[in-house]
Amino acid sequence: MTKSPLFGVDPWAVTQEGWDASLHEAAESLFSLGNGFFGQRAMHEETYSGHSLQGSYVAGVYYPDKTRVGWWKNGYPEYFAKVLNSTDWLDMSWSVNGHTADLAMGPPTQYRRSLNLREGVLTRQWEWITPDGIRLKVDSERWICKARPHLACIRYRITTDKACDLRWVSGLNGQVRNRDANYEEMFWKRGHEGGGERGYVQTATAKLDFEVGVAAEHRWEFLQDRAHSLGDFVPQDWVSRQELNLRLEAGDSVVLNKRVAVLSTLHAPALALQAKAMEVLDEVQSLSHEELRAEQAAAWDSLWKQADIQIEGDPKAQQGIRFNIFHLHQTYNGLDHRLNIGPKGFTGEKYGGSTYWDTEAYCIPFYLGTAPARVARQLLEYRYRQLDKAIANARKLGFKDGAALFPMVTMNGEECHNEWEITFEEIHRNGAMVYAIDQYVRYTGDRSYWWQGGLEVMVGVARFWAQRVHWSELRKAWVMHGVTGPNEYENNVNNNWYTNYLARFCWRYTLGVIDVIRQEQPSYWNQIATQIRWSESEALDWKAKADAIALPSDEVLGIWLQQDGYLEKEQQLASELQSDQRPINQHWSWDRILRSCFIKQADVLQGMMVFEQDFSLDELRRNFEFYEPRTVHESSLSPCVHSVLAARLGMMDKAYEMYLRTSRLDLDDYNREVHEGLHITSMAGTWMSVVMGFGGLRIVDDGLALAPVLPAAWSGYTFQLHWRGANLHFRLNNQGLECLLEGMPSCTLQLYGQSVTLESGQALVIRPSKA
Amino acid sequence: MTKSPLFGVDPWAVTQEGWDASLHEAAESLFSLGNGFFGQRAMHEETYSGHSLQGSYVAGVYYPDKTRVGWWKNGYPEYFAKVLNSTDWLDMSWSVNGHTADLAMGPPTQYRRSLNLREGVLTRQWEWITPDGIRLKVDSERWICKARPHLACIRYRITTDKACDLRWVSGLNGQVRNRDANYEEMFWKRGHEGGGERGYVQTATAKLDFEVGVAAEHRWEFLQDRAHSLGDFVPQDWVSRQELNLRLEAGDSVVLNKRVAVLSTLHAPALALQAKAMEVLDEVQSLSHEELRAEQAAAWDSLWKQADIQIEGDPKAQQGIRFNIFHLHQTYNGLDHRLNIGPKGFTGEKYGGSTYWDTEAYCIPFYLGTAPARVARQLLEYRYRQLDKAIANARKLGFKDGAALFPMVTMNGEECHNEWEITFEEIHRNGAMVYAIDQYVRYTGDRSYWWQGGLEVMVGVARFWAQRVHWSELRKAWVMHGVTGPNEYENNVNNNWYTNYLARFCWRYTLGVIDVIRQEQPSYWNQIATQIRWSESEALDWKAKADAIALPSDEVLGIWLQQDGYLEKEQQLASELQSDQRPINQHWSWDRILRSCFIKQADVLQGMMVFEQDFSLDELRRNFEFYEPRTVHESSLSPCVHSVLAARLGMMDKAYEMYLRTSRLDLDDYNREVHEGLHITSMAGTWMSVVMGFGGLRIVDDGLALAPVLPAAWSGYTFQLHWRGANLHFRLNNQGLECLLEGMPSCTLQLYGQSVTLESGQALVIRPSKA
């Protein structure tokens, strides 16, 4: 199953050498840029008439596209929020002696495109010979400023080998569409444009009141004695552009430094947007291109210092993990509670740019480990602020008394998804909200979130579960019918083990937190208990349900059952599938997939990873050996879980195979869909594979435990961890494990089952007892 | 639960007295006309600017509307065939002194609309006073000729009480749309128009090659000495119309006799359509209005002689059954194997006018009982001709070796539906094909259909079932996972009892038929066995599967289980539901409906009706008493089954309640949706309620058995039956049961469990032993 990389392997870069139009949309995804506030696929700056998925996205700006279904069912949401392709700020066209540069029409004689992961810069170098024989070299770089929320820069140089006439038009274009529009609507309406020394385009969404303003400034570099004319930015319908006409002599170069400010009404009122955009450009007026470039490198350097993972002896593995960490930190920065992480980030339209449970189950641990606590906390706050809508959503489905059901897919807290088996039934997402709070408190030690919003979320969720189960006299247990677990290749099943287990966790965890709050924050408790209409009978109810919820299992096999009746299915192994049948979701009709025993992604095993402290290694092994061979890993969220668990079980080959699959999912295009965008949220799973898998990280009884092991293909690796305000650094190689603590006087943790105390700044080395 | 009639109760009519615009769309449905080849909702002839669901339908002409789903799943069909609203041949507008008659703008001072069920004629009488005080009386009648496939007639009279100027435009209008269009497309493209003495409009569907040609002829009656001008039919864009301007004196009447020919390319090539339409008009050139009217009455009289059911002492029940029989025979006539019966017939757009399993499960018994054998046989042939597409459909879903899956919804044999839980899983429809063949052979005695197509259908279906089950070692049984039974309030369940039972029937019945064919038609068998690649191992396989298919049951309750795990559901009764929660499909989200124990329509009980000979009365009673109280009857196909079974169990109150509900479903608008069209296919269930329910008709061991009983509300009733070429007439009242045989020398049947022989033409009377 190993695949070939689409592009060059390098520890700090992804590089496309040579032009291949068929890979262009894939490259547009892989080379995407972003800074958490806005982002962009790596379209060509200049005219490109070939296939291209245009995508310039502004975080938090969405369009409620009217729901489209074949058969309406009660409870479906009225719209599906979609991330918007917005004003194109690359917008550029140039021609030489009347021949327009367009790689689709005149392919380049040389081509190189490279994403510099260390510094967050995309560069291109290429050469094109015009029909009249003029050889032009292009050298461009661009970045979206990590240190400045609203600024992006382009430096674009053209060099000619012969005298020629250059016409170069650059600016902003607001006349853009989404490829994915249910009714082929234009999502934007025209706002206004500005011209003169700077270009400006403001557009407004056709529904809701979002507006986006984009300003551009050009700094041209060319020999001033060359004949030329340079106009102002000219605003007209939806665009604002400047035109340069320039006589070039042989060997001349001309450079356009383009700076762009991108803002939305999330950051300024519509009427102030233009002025605010100008301010963004004003602020960097005195900075040269090189200074801004250095600032970008410094910002990323600071990030890498906290988040980098080095892998020695395995360039593909190294590139994979850095590529994943890079994109995750391009997508989300924790600076705005209204934002979250779409499954494709700023790299495509699919999944509408909306928030899924991926955030809580995958991204929260990642950001907890690689960034200050405030980043993950912002993600918790996002859900807290949407609690009212989660309660309203549950009410719409017939729940009451403050029960909350967080949406499967959302932009503003309202449900967007519209497949009944997902929207109404894939409710394990609700438990992920509580799991995320627990993770946050464990990693950061910051329990204040419990009484600063967390408890309200927990209670809403626990109440939902309490109403969602019913007593089966037949079974003498609380049962939960009609659910879809994480394995979406089963729909509408009864007693999905993972979901039931999670519900039990939510009840018990919430009751535990309430006990603590009562003790430690009595005045808060008094106030909130009234507000949420708490009654002790509710505690008894949750406890009773937790103690007697159905958890299907098979005694003979000694495994948990994914759901009632799983063993009545025809039992087959994924290895028995013919290769022309895979992925099954592209070859089989839906009913056949549902009837089969094949598992899309970890389900029981997801639960055994999440609640690993509850299970013995033997128990885990039995379940892993049963379920993994039945898993087709057709969700991007699957391989990482299996990598983590396989590493824990010492099945290093399997762990490594799964690691490569998760870390290089997009780089090697395992699912043949990278042209649609990257799997941003599953990238967090790659980090988990290394840190929780090979690193063996566990949080046990509120303390840290690690047991790093070395895959055979690696000569060594390092990783680091944010832990309660401190930073922990680990390096493992054949010489042993080296640990370093920073930012905390000392820290006691379990290493390979032994309690060890690290002192700040002092490296501790553990020599290998076993390899 | 008894409802009030929307309109007047009369044994032979439905009559609306007084104008109520809010009931207009409901009336348009109820008063619909048709003759099996074309049909029409009862729109007003003259201008009507109020709410109206325009519907003029031509059988077999459809539009493949591009499928619209939120989330595509493998195996979904690319289109949903829709019945087309086609050229409006009522098309008429008249004004007096410049005031246009339009009931929405100037309501009538009197209004009466009546559908004459005995003669198949719709009449209207109304009076309107213009703003300038002219009192106009309108008296119109129209019908679609039962005896002539392509002809319809309108007679429309206007009488004035004062002198006035009348302008009257009438003709044809091809510029029509469907209300239900996935992408708001126009389904038609313009063909051509004709004018002169007759009007003509030909339109073509925008996809596929259907064309519809409609010709109109006007015969005006007015005093020729009145000042007037009468033009020719003037053809122009999509329309062809004639205009009369006439000076009327006080007391004058003017009559328009409009004759319309409606044809499609099912009946003539596109180029010949116009000539053919003219022929239709030519053929009746010499016939007066009165003669055509008498012909219509005679045609319906002949039908009623074979199909009427008289109910004494209960006008609502009487009206109900006749209304149902009338509409069924308006919808289908068995003259064309390409046609079938849409759930709404010619009365609305919903369900696309397509064929459902309703045809086999409900309509086949009805037409067998009330019409010559050829009518039902035509319905069988329809499926036989679509067998190749059923095999292709199964192949698309992963089945092989000639397994056939007939579509859930179809126009031409291809699947149209696109909800996975229905399209791929509601597969019991496939068994209905075999059930229908069995019914046909039992009623008609005509076994030739077995070797004239029937066997091929049976084998395709039996093969499908054989591949659809798998062996469960755990259960030591063949199981069928992932199905939706007739009760669509359960989706994706395992071992739906009805479906499994039906599969077993299909295997055993087909094997039985093969045995007969081998004996009786050896040369056919030799040929077909090669063609279908028959092998004896297949017979063994089917037999083994039939002998060991899982049939879930509960020993304690002594009932069949609707599906695995049904008893783990929270058990509630429909009577416990608050009335503001009903119907639950309008108040509950889909997951809540699925989780509940509530049953949309007969499921286990459907099977116990269909295979009634397999079960004892006690067994039936236990199941009925368990399931009926859990049934919400939110499918129009539900009450009739319960009525039949309740009658069998002697639960006459329940049987009568359910009879009223099925027979007056539309007349009393139980489901508040009659404005969308009538429930045509469920009307066949009404007939079943009387004949199989109260009449106690069973076919036992290839013979007829009856045990008619009398509901308390009735003083007597009659019904009749086609049986193997003969006609049987029954009359039951307090005096006893009277039986009459026609068309066969003698016939032995079971009456109340006693074997009785009827002699042709001699009435046999059985005096009541018990009431």
Side-chain angles (χ1 to χ4, degrees), chain B residues 582-600:
Chain B
R582 299 188 69 167
I584 59 172
N585 70 12
Q586 287 174 23
H587 294 92
W588 287 10
S589 74
W590 188 243
D591 61 312
R592 190 173 173 196
I593 291 174
L594 291 180
R595 288 201 308 281
S596 81
C597 69
F598 294 118
I599 299 171
K600 182 186 180 191

Side-chain angles (χ1 to χ4, degrees), chain B residues 617-689:
Chain B
L617 267 183
D618 275 354
E619 206 172 357
L620 176 61
R621 188 182 313 278
R622 284 196 303 275
N623 283 278
F624 189 91
E625 287 176 351
F626 181 80
Y627 286 111
E628 198 284 331
R630 287 162 173 80
T631 304
V632 290
H633 301 295
E634 292 178 11
S635 160
S636 64
L637 299 176
S638 189
C640 57
V641 176
H642 290 84
S643 180
V644 169
L645 296 178
R648 183 157 192 234
L649 292 168
M651 302 159 78
M652 293 300 282
D653 288 350
K654 174 58 79 176
Y656 181 70
E657 173 203 332
M658 289 288 142
Y659 168 77
L660 276 192
R661 189 153 165 175
T662 182
S663 70
R664 299 194 58 87
L665 178 69
D666 292 320
L667 286 169
D668 300 351
D669 199 10
Y670 273 82
N671 293 0
R672 299 178 188 282
E673 59 184 19
V674 74
H675 55 280
E676 296 176 340
L678 306 179
H679 297 84
I680 296 294
T681 49
S682 86
M683 291 179 172
T686 300
W687 180 87
M688 288 160 67
S689 299

Side-chain angles (χ1 to χ4, degrees), chain A residues 67 77 79-81 354 407 409-412 414-418 423:
Chain A
T67 294
Y79 69 84
F80 191 107
S354 300
V409 179
T410 194
M411 201 61 97
N412 68 346
E414 293 171 47
E415 178 64 82
C416 285
H417 197 86
N418 52 49
T423 311

Side-chain angles (χ1 to χ4, degrees), chain A residues 68 70-71 73-74 183 418-421 468 470 475 479 481 491-492 495 568 585-586 588 595, chain B residues 68 70-71 73-74 183 418-421 468 470 475 479 481 491-492 495 568 585-586 595:
Chain A
R68 183 170 141 177
W71 302 87
K73 292 201 154 75
N74 267 343
Y183 297 88
N418 52 49
E419 289 176 295
W420 63 265
E421 63 275 18
R468 189 60 164 73
H470 69 267
R475 194 162 177 157
V479 293
H481 281 195
N491 289 162
N492 195 44
N495 296 310
E568 196 179 294
N585 70 13
Q586 288 174 22
W588 287 11
R595 287 201 307 282
Chain B
R68 183 169 140 178
W71 303 87
K73 292 201 154 77
N74 267 343
Y183 297 88
N418 52 49
E419 288 176 296
W420 63 265
E421 64 276 17
R468 189 60 164 71
H470 69 267
R475 195 163 177 157
V479 293
H481 281 195
N491 290 162
N492 195 42
N495 296 311
E568 196 179 294
N585 70 12
Q586 287 174 23
R595 288 201 308 281

Side-chain angles (χ1 to χ4, degrees), chain A residues 379-452:
Chain A
L379 290 169
L380 301 184
E381 303 250 351
Y382 173 93
R383 296 291 193 177
Y384 173 62
R385 285 165 193 268
Q386 297 182 351
L387 176 60
D388 285 351
K389 288 188 172 154
I391 292 172
N393 184 38
R395 206 180 298 123
K396 193 172 162 190
L397 304 188
F399 297 85
K400 54 194 178 178
D401 302 331
L405 176 60
F406 283 88
M408 188 67 200
V409 179
T410 194
M411 201 61 97
N412 68 346
E414 293 171 47
E415 178 64 82
C416 285
H417 197 86
N418 52 49
E419 289 176 295
W420 63 265
E421 63 275 18
I422 307 290
T423 311
F424 305 141
E425 299 205 339
E426 198 174 336
I427 51 178
H428 65 81
R429 65 186 184 250
N430 221 27
M433 308 299 146
V434 180
Y435 166 72
I437 293 170
D438 181 37
Q439 288 290 301
Y440 171 79
V441 174
R442 284 170 182 252
Y443 268 87
T444 65
D446 169 22
R447 301 192 305 173
S448 72
Y449 184 65
W450 284 347
W451 46 89
Q452 286 168 13

